[in-house]
């Protein structure tokens, strides 16, 4: 392993336990999570001098006012579900440059209790020309249909099967069943027959958008969380051991003539992050990978460098992604978006569980976990999307 620059660390984390929230707004969720993440770090509101916000609670200005803060740095990058990996990268850079000492990332969503449709609604243009959706909206393309198209193409190009995609869903469900919060989430969201699933369960579940079945799709939940990132000087005095950000990469991708819809922005962001960290993918113990759908994970695992393009189907077979199997890395050990929570933008939860693993606090703890990657995907595969890769190391 090459020498690593340890310029900033995750020092405080908190995840809202509830996945169905009564009577709280997204902004209230963010505030509750922020207070408890600061307590986890042993820090106070007055220590925060940088806010990173994806505008999920009414925008960065609302957040600063609601929290009663006057930050030196305000970053409102909004690129979908990977926004929080972008924020972690930006916070690290700002801290390393001396612009900030303590950064706060927060997320709050009432996606489920507000009964908002996700993924199945036609993306209408509202009469306003939209060059981004000109090849999608006229034909009734939905979000899930875009992922189904990517899955079909992967199957056509590489022989990938539904059973191979199901390996991802069964691994994350196995992890969810070890996580009391995830089990409670499935109960509150009225899942049926809550248990570990089999490959047959996944491939015989209801078809949603061919070839994606019900159990290939993420849940829709409420949720929230907060992450505190600090300079080395602050981190050394915090209540919990620091989890160091040792590499970061950001990228965007979109449809192009002659382009490959089975390759994501992660193919660009991952080499940057791994290059900075001096770590190879085969050294990673924990892979927290955005799982809106099983095909999302398969494509991202390839693009992160865990296996070659087209080899993901065979690579995930045999339960290798489970927390208790050799040859990992262990995937989404909290249960992921498939079986723990997915409130619309899930990137912050990737950072939270990666930090828990490297602290030794996960409910599906991998023995000796020392290195983790958190990769967020925003927007939608097969269309315009963002990707950000964060490599993390325990102290």
């Amino acid at each position: 392993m090459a020498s690593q620059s340890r310029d900033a660390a995750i020092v405080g984390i908190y995840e809202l336990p509830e996945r169905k929230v009564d009577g709280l707004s997204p902004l209230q969720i963010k505030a509750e999570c922020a207070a408890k993440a600061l307590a986890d770090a042993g820090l106070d509101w007055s220590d925060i001098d940088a806010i990173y916000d994806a505008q999920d609670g009414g925008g960065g200005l609302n957040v600063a006012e609601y929290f009663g803060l006057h930050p030196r740095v305000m970053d409102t990058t909004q690129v979908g579900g990977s926004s929080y990996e972008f924020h972690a990268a930006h916070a690290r850079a700002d801290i390393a440059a001396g612009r900030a000492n303590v950064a706060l990332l927060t997320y709050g969503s009432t996606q489920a209790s507000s009964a908002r449709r996700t993924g199945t609604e036609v993306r209408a243009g509202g009469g306003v020309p939209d060059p981004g959706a000109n090849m999608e909206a006229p034909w009734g393309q939905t979000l899930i249909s875009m992922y189904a198209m990517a899955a079909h193409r992967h199957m056509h190009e590489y022989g990938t099967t539904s059973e191979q995609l199901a390996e991802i869903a069964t691994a994350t469900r196995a992890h969810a069943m070890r996580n009391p919060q995830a089990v409670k989430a499935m109960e509150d969201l009225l899942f049926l027959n809550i248990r570990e699933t089999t490959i047959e369960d996944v491939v015989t579940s209801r078809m949603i958008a061919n070839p994606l079945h019900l159990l290939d799709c993420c849940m829709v939940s409420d949720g929230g969380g907060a992450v505190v990132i600090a300079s080395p000087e602050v981190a050394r005095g915090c209540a919990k051991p620091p989890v160091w950000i040792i590499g970061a990469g950001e990228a965007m991708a979109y449809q192009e003539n002659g382009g490959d819809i089975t390759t994501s922005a992660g193919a660009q962001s991952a080499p940057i992050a791994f290059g900075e960290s001096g770590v190879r993918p085969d050294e990673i113990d924990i892979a927290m990978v955005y799982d809106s759908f099983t095909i999302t994970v398969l494509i991202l695992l390839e693009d992160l460098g865990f296996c070659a393009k087209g080899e993901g189907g065979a690579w995930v077979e045999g339960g290798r992604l489970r927390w208790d199997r050799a040859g990992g890395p262990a995937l989404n050990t909290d249960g992921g978006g498939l079986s723990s929570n997915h409130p619309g933008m899930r990137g912050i939860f990737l950072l939270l569980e990666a930090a828990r693993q490297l602290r030794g606090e996960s409910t599906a703890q991998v023995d000796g976990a020392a290195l983790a990657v958190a990769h967020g995907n925003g927007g939608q595969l097969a269309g315009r999307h963002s990707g950000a890769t964060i490599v993390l190391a325990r102290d």
Side-chain angles (χ1 to χ4, degrees):
M1 185 187 301
S3 62
Q4 298 164 353
S5 174
R6 299 195 171 197
D7 301 317
I10 294 174
V11 296
I13 57 174
Y14 184 77
E15 179 177 334
L16 190 77
E18 296 84 10
R19 272 58 160 177
K20 195 75 182 291
V21 179
D22 242 349
L24 290 180
S25 70
L27 196 54
Q28 288 172 314
I29 293 171
K30 288 160 73 76
E32 178 179 332
C33 293
K36 292 182 177 176
L38 285 166
D40 180 63
L43 296 172
D44 195 76
W45 289 101
S46 60
D47 294 309
I48 299 166
D49 54 9
I51 292 177
Y52 299 80
D53 191 79
Q55 306 180 64
D56 47 287
L61 294 178
N62 283 356
V63 167
E65 179 181 5
Y66 193 72
F67 292 175
L69 300 176
H70 297 276
R72 292 193 287 160
V73 174
M74 171 68 77
D75 184 323
T76 56
T77 299
Q78 216 294 25
V79 287
S82 66
S83 297
Y84 308 93
E85 281 65 48
F86 276 73
H87 293 168
H90 298 176
R92 174 191 180 223
D94 288 333
I95 289 169
R99 290 189 289 270
N101 286 308
V102 179
L104 176 64
L105 289 59
T106 60
Y107 176 53
S109 171
T110 54
Q111 184 93 343
S113 57
S114 299
R116 293 198 296 271
R117 287 183 288 179
T118 304
T120 57
E121 190 171 17
V122 174
R123 302 171 66 244
V128 178
D130 179 0
N134 70 324
M135 296 299 291
E136 301 155 20
W139 317 110
Q141 285 278 57
T142 62
L143 183 147
I144 189 173
S145 73
M146 299 292 286
Y147 286 82
M149 186 165 65
H152 265 303
R153 189 66 192 177
H154 205 281
M155 290 175 167
H156 172 76
E157 288 285 335
Y158 306 114
T160 309
T161 67
S162 291
E163 288 76 11
Q164 290 170 334
L165 292 179
E167 292 274 3
I168 293 163
T170 58
T172 55
R173 178 61 70 88
H175 299 154
M177 294 308 299
R178 298 180 60 82
N179 179 356
Q181 291 182 5
V183 174
K184 180 66 162 54
M186 290 185 277
E187 293 170 350
D188 290 347
L189 296 169
L190 304 181
F191 276 42
L192 302 175
N193 196 12
I194 298 170
R195 56 174 172 79
E196 287 198 27
T197 53
T198 65
I199 302 297
E200 183 180 6
D201 289 331
V202 179
V203 300
T204 59
S205 63
R206 178 165 57 93
M207 188 70 75
I208 303 299
N210 188 23
L212 299 178
H213 301 82
L214 178 65
L215 295 181
D216 287 302
C217 305
C218 68
M219 62 166 62
V220 177
S221 73
D222 297 338
V227 173
V228 180
I229 298 173
S231 66
E233 295 76 19
V234 174
R236 292 299 182 193
C238 285
K240 296 288 184 71
V243 172
W244 297 99
I245 300 172
I246 60 171
E250 306 167 40
M252 307 290 290
Y254 44 84
Q255 291 173 335
E256 299 179 83
N257 290 335
D260 177 12
I261 64 172
T262 70
T263 296
S264 75
Q268 180 180 337
S269 66
I272 298 169
F274 283 116
E276 279 190 359
S277 69
V279 169
R280 302 186 312 272
D282 63 8
E283 295 179 276
I284 294 293
D285 302 302
I286 308 298
M288 293 301 300
V289 178
Y290 205 94
D291 60 341
S292 46
F293 304 95
T294 52
I295 186 60
T296 316
V297 176
L298 192 74
I299 287 175
L300 295 179
L301 286 171
E302 293 175 343
D303 294 342
L304 287 166
F306 289 107
C307 58
K309 178 56 64 181
E311 295 180 3
W315 190 81
V316 301
E317 288 180 334
R320 76 176 298 156
L321 299 174
R322 288 176 55 110
W323 70 282
D324 55 353
R325 301 288 172 86
L331 173 75
N332 297 353
T333 48
D334 60 340
L338 292 167
S339 288
S340 181
N341 66 358
H342 200 303
M345 297 191 295
R346 196 174 188 274
I348 201 166
F349 303 106
L350 310 179
L351 298 170
L352 291 170
E353 176 64 9
R356 281 192 290 261
Q357 279 282 352
L358 299 184
R359 288 178 171 188
E361 297 174 351
S362 175
T363 54
Q365 183 62 46
V366 173
D367 288 343
L371 292 167
V373 63
H375 180 83
N377 187 80
Q380 52 192 336
L381 292 183
R384 71 214 52 78
H385 65 277
S386 62
T389 311
I390 302 294
V391 182
L392 299 159
R394 74 180 180 194
D395 198 26

